Amino acid sequence: MVKDNSKVILVVEDEIPLQDVVRVMLKKYNINVITARTVEQAKELVNGPEKINAIWLDHYLLGKENGLDFMAWCKSEDSKCRDTPVFVVSNSANLDQVITYIHLGAKEYFVQSNYRLEEIIKKISAEINNPPTVANMPKTVQ
């Protein structure tokens, strides 16, 4: 459990080496990482005591369920992570899949081959450390 003021991201990713690299990179931005390799593990962590500020979600996971299954559960009305920003980071660029994630409420969908890992980390860390507020949203033109 995190005891300081740092933020926490849940990384739902089946590849342990990628989990480790993401952990090291996000630590530079004062973001702690908790990890899951299956949807079941991710649900347990979401329902646990840790406040999760964002979720990094892969599509392909260990077990019977995939990222879409988790996303649908996460954004359901009774989920603790309903308002938590979810960033999908996947090797899959299937257009229907991307549209489904966005429709379900993903904040952004990153196709890994289109971005350097550092770019993805910077975008996600900026969102976590500087979440949008009414004060910093663009004003409408009147």
Side-chain angles (χ1 to χ4, degrees):
M1 190 155 175
V2 177
K3 293 182 171 78
D4 59 16
N5 289 337
S6 60
K7 306 291 183 161
V8 174
I9 185 168
L10 168 60
V11 176
V12 187
E13 168 62 58
D14 63 319
E15 295 180 33
I16 292 174
L18 182 55
Q19 285 181 351
D20 293 341
V21 169
V22 169
R23 180 189 320 276
V24 168
M25 293 177 84
L26 284 168
K27 193 67 180 164
K28 294 177 188 174
Y29 295 94
N30 198 34
I31 298 169
N32 290 306
V33 174
I34 56 176
T35 60
R37 297 179 73 201
T38 68
V39 169
E40 184 178 329
Q41 290 171 348
K43 287 178 179 179
E44 287 175 17
L45 290 168
V46 165
N47 287 324
E50 195 84 63
K51 177 174 181 355
I52 297 170
N53 302 97
I55 298 169
W56 168 302
L57 179 62
D58 185 16
H59 176 72
Y60 297 105
L61 302 168
L62 297 180
K64 293 183 279 185
E65 297 177 290
N66 63 32
L68 277 173
D69 297 313
F70 177 78
M71 187 73 189
W73 173 83
C74 183
K75 295 303 178 178
S76 65
E77 287 190 32
D78 58 343
S79 171
K80 276 179 65 176
C81 61
R82 179 175 172 77
D83 297 323
T84 305
V86 176
F87 300 89
V88 181
V89 183
S90 183
N91 288 319
S92 175
N94 176 303
L95 184 58
D96 290 335
Q97 183 176 297
V98 173
I99 290 169
T100 302
Y101 274 106
I102 299 300
H103 178 73
L104 286 170
K107 180 83 175 170
E108 196 157 348
Y109 190 109
F110 297 98
V111 177
Q112 284 178 319
S113 60
N114 295 348
Y115 294 90
R116 289 185 7 258
L117 191 54
E118 182 64 30
E119 290 176 286
I120 296 170
I121 297 290
K122 282 182 179 180
K123 285 185 175 207
I124 293 174
S125 65
E127 178 71 28
I128 294 171
N129 286 322
N130 302 301
T133 63
V134 173
N136 65 15
M137 286 188 172
K139 296 189 180 359
T140 58
V141 178
Q142 297 183 8

